[in-house]
Amino acid sequence: MIVDCAIYRHGHRTEGPEDLSDALAEARAEGGFVWIGLYEPSEREFDLVTQEFGLHPLAVEDALNAHQRPKLEVYDDSLFMVLKPVVYEPESDTVSTGEVMVFVGDGFVVTVRHGEGSPLAAVRRRLEEEPEMLDKGPTAVLYAISDAVVDHYLEVATELQTDLDELEAEVFQPESGGSRGTASRIYGFKRQILEFRRATGPLTLPLSRLAGTGAPGGGVPFVHDKARPFFRDVGDHLTRVNESVEGLDRLVSDVLSAHLAQMSVRQNDDMRKISAWAAMAAVPTMIAGIYGMNFDHMPELHWLWSYPAVILLMVVLEVLLHRLFKRRGWL
């Protein structure tokens, strides 16, 4: 569905014709642009926009199907960029991603949103309060959307760092060293980082191209050359995010290794204790087994103090074994 449609002239929102073709012609004639926002449009709903603005069919197919990697595609009549906003859900400590597709051309911007957590409404409101920025045209919209998405990445990275600190404290508890479900929590956290990385990692190259540092040659069409420093700033923020994600991934791997090592040490301690108690139980079992064979000729078989002596011998041996195992740390 079409969420919002407006014509912007000299940085201010104005009313225009309802027909998209007339609105585009009027915006171009007066040096403005048209900004259309859509939310999960159907193929039928998107056909009108495609025909009026001459969008490339391959980009339209990507915009309709979603589930795309962050990328930047340059076509003859438009620029197509895909971003993946990330949402952190504190109730479940999970990360989810949406998708924002941006078409930029001569005198128009078309944004397509899939999923939740999109910053488009807030970006539009903020730009409408800054007419100087909005007067820069479609380039300003593309920059503002990219900047909002990447800035939110930094917030999500901070939340994930807090969760990792709590998980690390749980693993290195002096008493237990983490519960039985700690390993599954660590693995689940690693999957959240992987989901986060899928959104941030591939975006590096598109922002480098927009900043004019991605490849030799001229700049990207439909993007003003004076906007390069702004996209370079967004790229710097993204670099910080990617470094944070790499650090989180390494730390969670180290935490998982430490947890597994603690579990292994704990199991070894348990096996040593079991072995020590088994060795202590073997001594009276052996003595009782020998005297239970019922042979006629056995030493001290008919002696009055044989039974107390054997019991005393068992106790003495058990005490000696207990002290020995205790001294070696097995008990």
Side-chain angles (χ1 to χ4, degrees):
M1 67 174 72
I2 297 180
V3 178
D4 199 352
C5 177
I7 298 177
Y8 295 92
R9 301 183 182 92
H10 307 296
H12 296 279
R13 179 172 181 148
T14 60
E15 299 298 332
E18 295 184 0
D19 183 81
L20 295 180
S21 180
D22 294 340
L24 179 59
E26 183 177 330
R28 286 174 175 173
E30 298 184 7
F33 67 94
V34 180
W35 182 359
I36 299 177
L38 300 99
Y39 174 69
E40 297 184 357
S42 65
E43 184 175 355
R44 187 174 182 180
E45 292 172 336
F46 207 44
D47 280 343
L48 178 60
V49 178
T50 302
Q51 294 172 4
E52 296 296 342
F53 294 102
L55 305 180
H56 197 279
L58 293 178
V60 171
E61 181 181 357
D62 290 343
L64 290 174
N65 296 332
H67 304 294
Q68 305 294 320
R69 297 174 73 249
K71 62 180 181 178
L72 177 66
E73 300 287 350
V74 178
Y75 299 103
D76 294 335
D77 299 324
S78 63
L79 184 73
F80 178 63
M81 187 172 184
V82 179
L83 302 102
K84 296 182 75 69
V86 174
V87 177
Y88 175 80
E89 300 174 0
E91 295 79 10
S92 55
D93 294 335
T94 57
V95 169
S96 60
T97 58
E99 288 188 39
V100 172
M101 287 82 166
V102 185
F103 294 87
V104 176
D106 181 18
F108 70 88
V109 177
V110 178
T111 55
V112 182
R113 176 168 64 93
H114 291 269
E116 302 299 328
S118 171
L120 294 181
V123 169
R124 188 185 287 263
R125 288 194 301 269
R126 181 166 60 85
L127 283 176
E128 289 178 353
E129 295 174 357
E130 300 178 6
E132 297 83 3
M133 174 67 73
L134 198 56
D135 190 35
K136 305 299 182 182
T139 302
V141 178
L142 182 60
Y143 159 72
I145 294 174
S146 303
D147 185 56
V149 170
V150 173
D151 282 350
H152 193 63
Y153 286 164
L154 292 170
E155 299 176 8
V156 174
T158 301
E159 295 288 348
L160 289 176
Q161 181 64 57
T162 301
D163 288 346
L164 181 58
D165 292 341
E166 295 175 356
L167 193 59
E168 189 176 12
E170 178 182 341
V171 169
F172 291 102
Q173 284 180 353
E175 297 86 3
S176 61
S179 61
R180 293 183 178 181
T182 301
S184 61
R185 284 190 59 198
I186 296 174
Y187 182 74
F189 188 83
K190 194 171 182 65
R191 288 185 63 86
Q192 304 304 317
I193 295 177
L194 178 60
E195 184 73 15
F196 194 17
R197 175 181 286 177
R198 287 173 179 168
T200 63
L203 189 57
T204 301
L205 181 57
L207 286 178
S208 297
R209 293 180 63 189
L210 290 172
T213 60
V220 177
F222 309 108
V223 175
H224 201 281
D225 290 340
K226 293 184 178 180
R228 289 184 180 183
F230 295 93
F231 286 107
R232 194 176 303 126
D233 180 68
V234 178
D236 291 340
H237 292 176
L238 182 64
T239 300
R240 289 174 51 195
V241 172
N242 286 328
E243 290 175 352
S244 298
V245 173
E246 290 292 335
L248 288 171
D249 188 54
R250 288 195 299 268
L251 281 175
V252 74
S253 297
D254 293 341
V255 169
L256 179 59
S257 299
H259 175 68
L260 295 178
Q262 284 184 330
M263 295 296 293
S264 178
V265 170
R266 191 185 308 171
Q267 290 176 352
N268 290 336
D269 289 341
D270 294 340
M271 289 302 299
R272 286 194 302 178
K273 292 178 181 180
I274 293 173
S275 300
W277 286 110
M280 293 173 61
V283 173
T285 302
M286 178 189 66
I287 296 176
I290 292 175
Y291 276 89
M293 289 187 293
N294 297 323
F295 288 111
D296 289 334
H297 302 286
M298 296 185 68
E300 309 300 339
L301 188 60
H302 301 289
W303 185 39
L304 180 62
W305 299 99
S306 295
Y307 182 75
V310 170
I311 296 298
L312 179 61
L313 176 63
M314 292 181 183
V315 172
V316 171
L317 292 176
E318 291 294 304
V319 171
L320 292 177
L321 286 175
H322 187 273
R323 294 185 61 184
L324 176 64
F325 293 142
K326 194 76 172 178
R327 184 179 305 171
R328 294 188 176 182
W330 286 32
L331 292 175

